[in-house]
Amino acid sequence: MRRTPQILLALALLIGLVPQYAAAQGEWSIEGADDITSISAMGDGSRIAIGSHGSKAVVYDKEGTPLYEKEANNVINAVDLLDDGTLLVASDDRHLYAYDSEGTPLWDADMKRQVKSVSASEDGSVIVAVVQRVNDLLFMNGQTGEQIGAAAIGATMKTAQVSDNGQWVLAATADQYLHLLDGTGKPLLKIGASGQIQSIDITGDGDIAAGTSDGRVELFTSDGEPAGNIGIQSSVSAVAFSKDGASLGVADLTGNFYIFDSSGKQLWEMKVGEAGRSVEFSPDSKTMYAGTDDGRILQLDVSSVVAEAKSQARMRIIAWTIGAAAAIVLVLLLLRWMQRRGKLGIFREIWRSKWIYLGLAPSFILIFTFLYFPAFSGLFHSLYQWQPGGRTTYIGLDNFERMIHDPYVTKGLVNLLILIVTGLIKSLIPPLIVAELIYHLRSKKLQYGFRTAFTASMIIPSVAGLLIWQNFYDPNMGLFNNFLHLIGLGSWAHGWLGDPDTALWALIFIGFPFVGILQLLVFYAGLLSISNELIESARMDGASLPRIIRSIHLPLLSGQFKFLIILGLIGIIQDFNSILIVTAGGPMDSTYVPALQMYYAATKFNDLGYASALGVSMFAVILVITVINMKFIKSAEE
């Protein structure tokens, strides 16, 4: 038994449930650099160039020792190292600089506008630059810094990238398009992206990666065909292929760094706590350099991670094969056991009733697909950082721990307790009173008329009712404030839904006089089921109407109370529609509830793992309350 945890961990690793981590080989920091805007590795891996928001460009050797530092007069947007050690620097000071391997200036090109990007082939034969608010991609002479040509793109340029071999040039524009050109500037393809393009890269084979502001990394082939679509945590700030094109590094604005394989499968992930700004692989693809917004450069050993991921892919195939074989063996053993005990006849009975089972199959499949499967999926994914179609990373109980420290959840729990108490009072007492009044009417016609009048309100859509009440609370033309002005109490007029002190109670008051139709009908049906002989006997013994209600009606309605309490609790805990429509959780967080936080996590922030954890927690609370209710509230039959 002592080895059980180790065995389970090994199995989890085999099927890929436990994420892999990369070890940090080193960390550099540039004083006064602020954001690391770009990183470039020299073709032989001997040097690394860093560009920063703090107007500094620094060249390091592969051990992290600074070789030289250059400073511009404004933000450095991009750097690129050539095979001969030449450093190209693009800056918002409207200049494009070139330095030799010793840091001596080679040339300084005044581009008249802010230079937003520079990229070159490894040998420097193709150099392109992007300048502010210009629709042309500029081609530069690496020896003199003069412009030698331009490719008309037709839209405002954002960034550009040249493949290492100089065969391809990729440009991104503000209208969400990628433009693929050859090394001479001849247009080849125009590809549309799903969002605003933030970063791009291209391999020597023409494979394309584009990171967008909506948290997607889109992959394309050199023919423009989609090759993958990756979802990550936040807006993409940088993408970079390894030199062999087998791996893709990605950074996002929440401080996460990722590695994916060429098909878009996640191999590794790390969070550094600060916004990620740039990524670059060493030429041997064994190290990834990651730049943050606080001037740090992380040197990460990823070779073992990539190798381990490939090994695990093979092991998963073996594990699933073994599992399938074991399942077949178990089925055969079960059939053998049933044969020995003469129980195989059940299959003949099933075959005789095959048409009945076939008729039940659609219902069962639909119930499983739309009820049971989402429930089990939510339970499973509550242990993961999950984005459908993107990454799924096992994080254990971190989502539940995060709930404890989430101020919106803690504030929502206080509001939820208030809503539960007031909601149960509203859903039980007014409908019971009205049901008793209708029940004690002498005329059957009047009973029928009042029942019909109350139930007729069911035809009003709930959303319409909420919007009507929202108009009642309007501070300028709402019914409540106008009525207060009419009776001389204008000083009491208020922005009821706009004040944190009154918004929650204004929501609670919606639906006055709180005669729920379902609750009314349930109580009324319960009263009708009470024996008239029992009531008459009580009256003959001198019992008054209040005593009959207290001693006969209420005890015999305990089953109805149990049913309505359970339904009420489930509805109150799960409901966020009315709050979303009327206040959206505001003002500030005064009307927040956990269910609304679950909705926002799933729809607004695309954080479905956390949303699943919130849903599982609400399920657990409802289950506990239901068990307590079933245990302590006894019906007449019990």
Side-chain angles (χ1 to χ4, degrees):
M1 294 298 292
R2 293 181 180 178
R3 293 187 178 182
T4 300
Q6 289 87 343
I7 294 172
L8 292 176
L9 179 60
L11 290 173
L13 286 169
L14 283 176
I15 60 176
L17 294 180
V18 179
Q20 298 298 309
Y21 297 92
Q25 294 176 319
E27 179 178 318
W28 316 330
S29 181
I30 304 175
E31 185 177 353
D34 298 327
D35 291 353
I36 301 300
T37 58
S38 59
I39 304 175
S40 177
M42 195 167 163
D44 60 3
S46 60
R47 294 187 176 196
I48 305 295
I50 309 295
S52 70
H53 194 274
S55 308
K56 293 182 179 181
V58 185
V59 177
Y60 296 87
D61 65 16
K62 63 181 180 180
E63 305 299 332
T65 303
L67 299 178
Y68 65 86
E69 177 180 314
K70 295 297 176 180
E71 191 162 347
N73 296 316
N74 208 325
V75 175
I76 292 178
N77 293 309
V79 294
D80 204 348
L81 273 174
L82 307 185
D83 277 347
D84 60 1
T86 299
L87 174 66
L88 302 176
V89 178
S91 173
D92 273 351
D93 65 4
R94 305 183 180 186
H95 285 256
L96 184 61
Y97 304 93
Y99 303 91
D100 67 12
S101 59
E102 302 300 324
T104 304
L106 294 176
W107 46 262
D108 177 356
D110 185 357
M111 307 299 289
K112 307 303 181 183
R113 295 174 182 268
Q114 295 176 352
V115 187
K116 293 301 182 182
S117 177
V118 64
S119 181
S121 59
E122 289 185 337
D123 60 4
S125 60
V126 179
I127 300 176
V128 298
V130 173
V131 297
Q132 185 185 35
R133 292 194 297 272
V134 171
N135 296 351
D136 295 339
L137 181 63
L138 308 181
F139 285 75
M140 312 299 296
N141 186 313
Q143 301 299 319
T144 64
E146 296 177 348
Q147 181 179 330
I148 57 174
I153 301 299
T156 302
M157 300 286 299
K158 293 192 69 173
T159 186
Q161 196 72 28
V162 180
S163 64
D164 290 339
N165 58 14
Q167 181 180 350
W168 313 92
V169 178
L170 181 66
T173 54
D175 59 356
Q176 301 183 191
Y177 277 96
L178 296 165
H179 299 260
L180 184 63
L181 306 90
D182 65 14
T184 65
K186 178 183 177 182
L188 301 176
L189 286 173
K190 183 178 179 181
I191 308 168
S194 63
Q196 286 293 329
I197 302 169
Q198 304 297 317
S199 180
I200 58 175
D201 200 12
I202 186 167
T203 70
D205 295 327
D207 295 325
I208 297 168
T212 66
S213 59
D214 58 355
R216 313 297 300 180
V217 179
E218 300 180 49
L219 305 178
F220 301 94
T221 66
S222 59
D223 297 326
E225 296 297 323
N229 196 310
I230 305 167
I232 63 172
Q233 181 77 8
S234 181
S235 177
V236 178
S237 53
V239 296
F241 281 110
S242 60
K243 299 300 180 182
D244 59 7
S247 301
L248 175 68
V250 180
D252 71 19
L253 293 183
T254 57
N256 290 288
F257 293 93
Y258 315 83
I259 295 178
F260 300 90
D261 66 14
S262 57
S263 65
K265 180 182 178 182
Q266 182 173 318
L267 303 178
W268 167 84
E269 172 187 349
M270 183 186 75
K271 184 174 179 62
V272 299
E274 305 291 342
R277 291 296 182 181
S278 54
V279 289
E280 177 73 343
F281 284 94
S282 63
D284 59 9
S285 303
K286 294 181 179 180
T287 302
M288 187 175 80
Y289 302 96
T292 68
D293 68 349
D294 58 354
R296 290 184 296 145
I297 303 96
L298 306 176
Q299 187 179 7
L300 302 167
D301 177 13
V302 297
S303 58
S304 59
V305 173
V306 176
E308 183 68 18
K310 294 177 180 178
S311 175
Q312 284 188 17
R314 293 191 295 269
M315 293 300 294
R316 277 196 296 270
I317 295 174
I318 296 173
W320 286 115
T321 303
I322 294 173
I328 293 172
V329 170
L330 287 174
V331 171
L332 293 176
L333 290 175
L334 177 62
L335 292 175
R336 179 65 175 169
W337 177 83
M338 294 176 68
Q339 183 183 28
R340 288 180 177 179
R341 285 161 176 75
K343 297 182 179 294
L344 291 177
I346 189 173
F347 294 108
R348 288 193 294 270
E349 296 299 326
I350 293 175
W351 179 252
R352 290 172 185 168
S353 304
K354 57 183 178 296
W355 299 115
I356 297 175
Y357 287 110
L358 186 62
L360 290 172
S363 298
F364 178 78
I365 292 171
L366 291 173
I367 290 172
F368 176 81
T369 302
F370 294 105
L371 291 179
Y372 292 112
F373 178 76
F376 286 114
S377 174
L379 181 62
F380 175 79
H381 285 106
S382 66
L383 304 175
Y384 285 75
Q385 194 173 45
W386 176 42
Q387 287 183 328
R391 62 177 186 167
T392 301
T393 306
Y394 177 80
I395 58 174
L397 299 176
D398 286 2
N399 282 325
F400 295 93
E401 182 181 355
R402 175 181 168 187
M403 286 167 41
I404 299 174
H405 304 290
D406 190 337
Y408 290 105
V409 174
T410 53
K411 174 66 175 178
L413 286 174
V414 176
N415 292 337
L416 182 60
L417 289 174
I418 297 173
L419 290 171
I420 287 175
V421 174
T422 56
L424 290 179
I425 293 173
K426 291 192 303 181
S427 65
L428 296 177
I429 296 178
L432 176 62
I433 294 173
V434 174
E436 287 281 0
L437 292 174
I438 295 176
Y439 175 76
H440 284 94
L441 287 172
R442 295 176 180 268
S443 171
K444 297 297 181 182
K445 291 183 178 181
L446 284 177
Q447 288 186 10
Y448 178 80
F450 276 104
R451 289 203 313 270
T452 304
F454 276 107
T455 55
S457 64
M458 294 178 67
I459 65 174
I460 300 176
S462 58
V463 173
L466 289 171
L467 294 177
I468 290 171
W469 275 89
Q470 190 177 39
N471 287 330
F472 286 170
Y473 287 125
D474 188 281
N476 299 315
M477 61 180 183
L479 175 65
F480 294 146
N481 283 348
N482 283 328
F483 177 73
L484 290 173
H485 284 293
L486 182 65
I487 62 176
L489 297 175
S491 60
W492 289 15
H494 203 67
W496 304 98
L497 294 174
D499 186 346
D501 295 329
T502 60
L504 182 63
W505 295 102
L507 280 173
I508 292 171
F509 197 74
I510 287 178
F512 182 84
F514 315 125
V515 182
I517 306 307
L518 173 64
Q519 293 86 347
L520 171 63
L521 294 178
V522 168
F523 280 130
Y524 184 72
L527 291 172
L528 291 178
S529 67
I530 297 175
S531 172
N532 287 328
E533 288 80 3
L534 187 60
I535 303 297
E536 292 299 328
S537 298
R539 286 175 177 167
M540 290 177 62
D541 290 338
S544 62
L545 180 59
R547 180 60 186 273
I548 291 173
I549 293 174
R550 185 175 71 253
S551 301
I552 298 177
H553 286 184
L554 293 182
L556 293 179
L557 289 175
S558 59
Q560 283 76 11
F561 277 106
K562 178 188 293 187
F563 171 71
L564 292 176
I565 288 173
I566 293 174
L567 284 187
L569 287 170
I570 293 174
I572 294 169
I573 293 173
Q574 292 183 344
D575 178 56
F576 63 86
N577 297 322
S578 57
I579 296 175
L580 179 66
I581 292 171
V582 179
T583 65
M588 295 189 292
D589 57 1
S590 59
T591 58
Y592 238 85
V593 291
L596 185 63
Q597 178 68 341
M598 177 186 70
Y599 171 79
Y600 282 147
T603 59
K604 183 179 288 187
F605 305 116
N606 201 27
D607 194 353
L608 274 78
Y610 185 49
S612 298
L614 287 165
V616 169
S617 300
M618 288 191 290
F619 163 76
V621 171
I622 292 171
L623 179 63
V624 170
I625 294 175
T626 301
V627 171
I628 294 173
N629 180 56
M630 298 292 290
K631 179 72 174 177
F632 291 102
I633 299 182
K634 303 293 184 180
S635 64
E637 291 77 13
E638 296 171 321

